[in-house]
Amino acid sequence: MNMNLYNTMSRSVEAFEPQHPPKVSLYACGLTVYDFTHLGHLRKYTMDDVLIRALRYAGYEVEFVQNVTDVGHLASDADEGEDKLEKGAKKYGESVYDIAHKFEDYFFMSMDKMGNLRPDVSCRATEHIDEQLEMVKTLEEKGYTYVIKGDGVYFDTSKLDDYGKLARLDIEKLKEGARVEMIAGKRNPTDFALWKFEREGENRAMVWPSPWHERSFPGWHVECSAMSMKYLGNSIDIHTGGIDHIPVHHTNEIAQAEAATGEVPFVHYWVHHNFLRIEGEKMSKSLGNFYTIDDVIKRGYQPKALRLLFLGSHYRSELNFTWNTLAGTQKALDKLIGHLDAVWDAELVERTALSSEAKLFMTRFENAIADDLNTATAVAVLWEMVKFGLSAAEMKTVLQEMDKILGFDFSALVEEYRNKPRDIPDGVSALMTQREVARNNKDWQESDRLRDEIAQKGYSVEDTADGQVVKKV
Ligand code: AMP
Ligand code: ZN
């Protein structure tokens, strides 16, 4: 399978050729761990997961590095405002480090539920302060920086001829339109903070001594360049992130990395994911449409139904999430599991021994994936295949091959389905799942309410050391 990927740098789909095949270095911008992982994050990281699985399927040895942003991501992209971690700590009344660990754990729990593979290296910004400091010192020695007193160390973007090439920024226009409230002392509107200083009167929890200030901390962008270079070298094959990162975060990563090492390009393929909207709106706490994996489970849906929903659209298109669509996708998943159950006891067939029809389904599936990860077409081929009437053995073989890229873990889905008590209707099972979530959250009131609702359906539920046991009354 020869992968083709859309590269934001060239704005075109390119044949993927890593620098040192079969090795592929891949860096994914990780979460800022100041609040719960939401459905938008789940979409981005699920599509990253499919990319990594596809590359491995194609025979590449992918080294997957993903950071955890636990310091330095300020509320505003203009290098101002509160650190998001400090904001989270205030909101939840816990220390910044407790907040960071709590939401990092929640992130990985969510990833596990979605079936997303863990990175080979997960690196926290706070544990790489030295690497980030070294990078800023190098940039200072090379003359790319200046200090704004009482504020921070800044990167002088006018020193680069090609600053803004990823986003194709119109620097002259930006200069003309520069906002009056640009940080005092900034030489160019696009200059950005490499290192920030604690201000008078501030009492930040995350500060470190640096050559410029006793109490200071890294800017957000420097962590991704410093850590990707530490683990993957100066020039990496693939870097992923959301489209929101193109004009500032990734633009600045390129500037500081290429200036520090002199090696161009810092990244060979830039892969950017489009956004998830909820019922047509931007997701936000204030709109009350901020949902997590637990909300999905609470409403009685399987995380893999969400996975199927994500795979149904292209990662570069915006996706509008609605609960109605998820309900429909859950039904589709149930149907698929029915097909899996029917063939799962069959013996596998050697790929070379597959019939020409089965081989054609595989080829069409692989071609779709190779075409810039066209998962929607790939899933459509899967549906066509299960309805076509291949033998059980061939169908199981093809499904298992497809699953290597789609990442559903079909075997686990079949097992779960087979272990589900047969005489319990789906409505009652869904309530039990909700009750399990309530109990995990120590929400006893909700747990009792759900017990009553289950009783109304004619079932009793008992809590045992092995979990809930439900019986028909
Ligand atoms: P953050 O924690 O804000 O740095 O975000 C982590 C990653 O999730 C980034 O790559 C973002 O672009 C991405 N992201 C955030 N919100 C959404 C959303 N609603 N849909 C898709 N991706 C998102
Ligand atoms: Zn990043």
Side-chain angles (χ1 to χ4, degrees), residues 29-34 38-41 43-45 69 73 84 220 240-245 273-277 283:
C29 278
L31 194 78
T32 307
V33 285
Y34 74 114
H38 58 58
L39 297 190
H41 299 133
R43 180 187 188 206
K44 189 263 173 192
Y45 293 106
T69 298
H73 192 168
K84 290 193 179 188
W220 172 36
T240 76
I243 47 169
D244 52 325
H245 288 345
H273 302 262
N274 209 322
F275 264 55
L276 182 79
R277 292 168 76 80
M283 192 172 358

Side-chain angles (χ1 to χ4, degrees), residues 289-357:
N289 66 0
F290 181 101
Y291 300 116
T292 64
I293 194 72
D294 279 328
D295 294 316
V296 168
I297 297 167
K298 252 187 238 171
R299 291 183 186 223
Y301 302 114
Q302 287 172 278
K304 296 292 167 64
L306 192 59
R307 189 173 186 97
L308 185 58
L309 190 152
F310 290 158
L311 295 183
S313 72
H314 194 261
Y315 74 93
R316 281 195 287 119
S317 313
E318 197 171 81
L319 174 62
N320 185 30
F321 172 90
T322 70
W323 288 104
N324 265 344
T325 327
L326 184 59
T329 317
Q330 177 68 57
K331 279 203 187 117
L333 181 67
D334 292 343
K335 223 181 254 172
L336 180 58
I337 295 172
H339 286 294
L340 297 172
D341 179 48
V343 301
W344 221 247
D345 295 326
E347 292 286 327
L348 291 172
V349 185
E350 285 290 327
R351 264 199 72 167
T352 47
L354 285 173
S355 64
S356 55
E357 288 91 348

Side-chain angles (χ1 to χ4, degrees), residues 158-192:
S158 68
K159 298 257 156 102
L160 297 178
D161 293 336
D162 58 359
Y163 178 82
K165 59 188 169 185
L166 179 70
R168 303 194 175 172
L169 298 179
D170 185 337
I171 306 294
E172 287 313 311
K173 221 178 189 165
L174 278 171
K175 271 187 193 157
E176 284 164 24
R179 289 168 303 153
V180 203
E181 68 267 31
M182 187 168 95
I183 287 180
K186 256 201 199 184
R187 293 182 188 165
N188 310 286
T190 45
D191 291 357
F192 58 93

Side-chain angles (χ1 to χ4, degrees), residues 35-38 101-111 292-295:
D35 215 324
F36 289 100
T37 300
H38 58 58
H101 288 154
K102 171 170 147 175
F103 290 123
E104 183 184 319
D105 288 349
Y106 194 84
F107 171 75
F108 282 117
M109 180 279 288
S110 307
M111 292 300 117
T292 64
I293 194 72
D294 279 328
D295 294 316

